[in-house]
Amino acid sequence: MYRVILFDLDGTLTDSGEGITKSVQYAIEKLGMGEYPLEELRSFVGPPLMEQFMNFCHISQERAKEAVGYYRERYSLVGLYENRPYDGISKLLKELKEQGYLLGVASSKPEYFVDKILQHFSLDSYFDAVVGSELSGQRTSKSEVVEEALRRLGVSDRRQEVVLVGDRKFDVLGARAMGIDCVAVSYGYGDMQELMEVNPVYISKSVEELADFFGLSL
């Protein structure tokens, strides 16, 4: 029986694609690599940023670090707030807390930005631990973030009681690597084919369906 729920942020708690893709577009332009349509940059929502710049742009780690710096120029001022919680998320978190669940956030986004976003949308009070990556580039993989979240919540020896909720294959695989289950949501940035291929314990098509999975009604 699950008693601890970890949530991914982008594509799970908040619809953050606009701010992320516009900031990626800005970074790629600053690199002198042309202008990409925003729709082509949706793959940047979810995976570690530097790794995705390397894969998408076919550039070295050093150039990817430069891209991340450009990205943050825009994201820290504007992109952070081109974002909104999915409908029903605040109510879901409130009801989960009232039912006694221990809640955490486990995101590959830098923890500094995760905290600012949760505070901006008044979601921070629901969480017992908020974990992200380091601005220095450390702790970027989902498995590392999950492990740190388990440590901070004091449930490293209770993994059978923990589930991660996320929208990309990286969430499912990162959770599995750390010995916990993952419930995937298809309303975020991962399509059904991607999610089905990695076999989460459940795929929820909406926030309401996610609430139902945990025995709640919104």
Side-chain angles (χ1 to χ4, degrees):
M1 180 180 181
Y2 301 128
R3 298 308 308 162
V4 184
I5 307 172
L6 303 179
F7 286 90
D8 175 47
L9 178 65
D10 297 325
T12 302
L13 293 176
T14 69
D15 185 356
S16 54
E18 180 184 357
I20 292 173
T21 55
K22 285 183 176 179
S23 299
V24 169
Q25 185 183 60
Y26 171 85
I28 292 175
E29 287 181 32
K30 293 278 281 188
L31 285 177
M33 300 183 69
E35 182 176 339
Y36 284 80
L38 295 177
E39 188 62 28
E40 291 185 21
L41 304 176
R42 283 171 59 91
S43 61
F44 279 85
V45 185
L49 192 59
M50 189 166 73
E51 180 181 312
Q52 188 62 13
F53 271 120
M54 292 172 66
N55 293 336
F56 185 89
C57 299
H58 307 291
I59 55 178
S60 67
Q61 186 172 354
E62 285 305 309
R63 286 280 278 166
K65 286 181 181 178
E66 186 180 351
V68 170
Y70 290 139
Y71 171 92
R72 289 177 179 165
E73 282 181 1
R74 185 187 186 280
Y75 187 80
S76 61
L77 297 176
V78 182
L80 193 65
Y81 305 112
E82 293 170 326
N83 196 354
R84 67 171 185 85
Y86 286 105
D87 292 342
I89 280 294
S90 183
K91 187 176 181 183
L92 171 64
L93 296 173
K94 181 176 183 292
E95 293 197 13
L96 288 170
K97 285 299 289 184
E98 289 175 351
Q99 291 296 315
Y101 285 94
L102 200 61
L103 303 181
V105 173
S107 171
S108 294
K109 183 188 292 296
E111 195 168 306
Y112 172 79
F113 293 133
V114 177
D115 282 330
K116 287 181 73 71
I117 291 167
L118 294 176
Q119 290 164 14
H120 180 73
F121 293 117
S122 300
L123 298 177
D124 54 309
S125 63
Y126 297 118
F127 296 104
D128 302 284
V130 174
V131 180
S133 62
E134 301 284 357
L135 284 168
S136 64
Q138 301 298 307
R139 201 173 61 224
T140 58
S141 75
K142 181 61 69 164
S143 57
E144 290 174 317
V145 171
V146 166
E147 188 65 23
E148 177 64 12
L150 297 177
R151 187 191 68 79
R152 292 191 199 177
L153 289 168
V155 296
S156 297
D157 59 348
R158 295 163 49 196
R159 294 174 194 247
Q160 73 280 3
E161 298 178 18
V162 186
V163 63
L164 173 69
V165 180
D167 69 311
R168 298 295 308 275
K169 65 182 181 181
F170 311 100
D171 299 306
V172 182
L173 297 174
R176 186 173 296 141
M178 293 298 102
I180 67 171
D181 288 342
C182 184
V183 169
V185 297
S186 62
Y187 59 76
Y189 290 89
D191 60 37
M192 282 294 290
Q193 181 177 346
E194 172 187 325
L195 296 175
M196 290 176 68
E197 285 176 355
V198 291
N199 196 31
V201 297
Y202 186 74
I203 299 176
S204 174
K205 299 180 180 65
S206 66
V207 175
E208 290 76 17
E209 194 174 316
L210 183 61
D212 185 63
F213 177 84
F214 290 111
L216 304 175
S217 179
L218 297 185

